[in-house]
Amino acid sequence: MSRIVVTEFVSLDGVMEDPGGAEGTTYGGWTFKFERGPEGGKFKFDELMAADALLLGRVTYQAFAAAWPGMGGDEFGDKMNRAPKYVVSSTLSDSEATWGDTTVLRGDVVAEIAKLKAGPGGDLLVAGSSQLVHTLTQNGLVDEYRLMVFPIILGSGKRVFPDAEVVSELTLTTQAEENGVLLLTYRPA
């Protein structure tokens, strides 16, 4: 059985939007104001190496597909490029899904992802993909949240956790700090 692991760069007020600046938002690139240090690098490296596949929303998939093929050559970049990818989209055609081994999930997304999760394999790593993260969270499909919390308040933007009708309790399983950036791992209680 696979696990769904959501990994996000997040501001102190919960904003996950445009951490790298590729979307051109007002505050885009906000993570670059901080040095995440060796522990932060290890946090990201370890989660990717533990993943068997990437599970992404269309917008994140297309941004990654435009950038990552040119960033191979090291262990991290090679893993990003060779990992199987599942992209949730009702608009992305199979002919547009050209980044390595990509499968487009359409239709009843919750059922499709539940099937993926029930199958054999390791972690399905979800990065970015706010709409997908909200769907996964609301349907109780997330097994772990790995949050890199930066000491900045952005005030507005897409948030990791949606407005929800159901309270979800989490258990903190690991915590570290590197140069003011918190490295937190939570599991549903």
Side-chain angles (χ1 to χ4, degrees):
M1 186 162 168
S2 297
R3 294 179 337 132
I4 294 180
V5 176
V6 170
T7 177
E8 301 294 350
F9 296 122
V10 61
S11 68
L12 195 57
D13 58 339
V15 175
M16 63 184 282
E17 186 173 25
D18 202 8
E23 297 173 48
T25 62
T26 302
Y27 301 113
W30 50 270
T31 59
F32 296 124
K33 296 178 182 195
F34 305 95
E35 176 57 48
R36 63 184 190 200
E39 282 297 314
K42 182 178 180 339
F43 187 76
K44 299 308 288 177
F45 183 85
D46 289 350
E47 72 188 9
L48 179 62
M49 293 305 131
D52 278 358
L54 303 176
L55 175 60
L56 304 168
R58 179 192 54 81
V59 173
T60 300
Y61 172 82
Q62 288 180 310
F64 282 10
W68 278 104
M71 291 193 268
D74 65 10
E75 195 173 0
F76 194 91
D78 290 346
K79 174 81 179 212
M80 284 291 287
N81 287 317
R82 77 172 180 273
K85 290 121 185 118
Y86 297 94
V87 58
V88 174
S89 178
S90 60
T91 60
L92 186 71
S93 70
D94 290 337
S95 65
E96 294 171 304
T98 59
W99 180 30
D101 177 12
T102 297
T103 302
V104 180
L105 303 177
R106 299 179 180 89
D108 185 346
V109 172
V110 172
E112 290 294 315
I113 293 170
K115 270 196 274 184
L116 272 178
K117 187 175 173 176
D123 293 348
L124 298 168
L125 193 61
V126 183
S129 309
S130 64
Q131 188 175 347
L132 173 59
V133 169
H134 293 177
T135 298
L136 296 170
T137 299
Q138 290 167 337
N139 287 279
L141 292 170
V142 178
D143 295 288
E144 188 170 277
Y145 296 93
R146 294 179 58 88
L147 306 176
M148 189 173 278
V149 182
F150 290 78
I152 187 170
I153 296 171
L154 297 173
S156 65
K158 295 175 187 171
R159 298 188 184 276
V160 174
F161 298 103
D163 291 339
E165 296 175 13
V166 178
V167 173
S168 299
E169 291 186 30
L170 302 174
T171 300
L172 180 64
T173 60
T174 64
Q175 175 180 342
E177 184 268 335
E178 185 74 26
N179 298 327
V181 177
L182 295 175
L183 312 173
L184 306 171
T185 303
Y186 288 96
R187 292 195 180 112

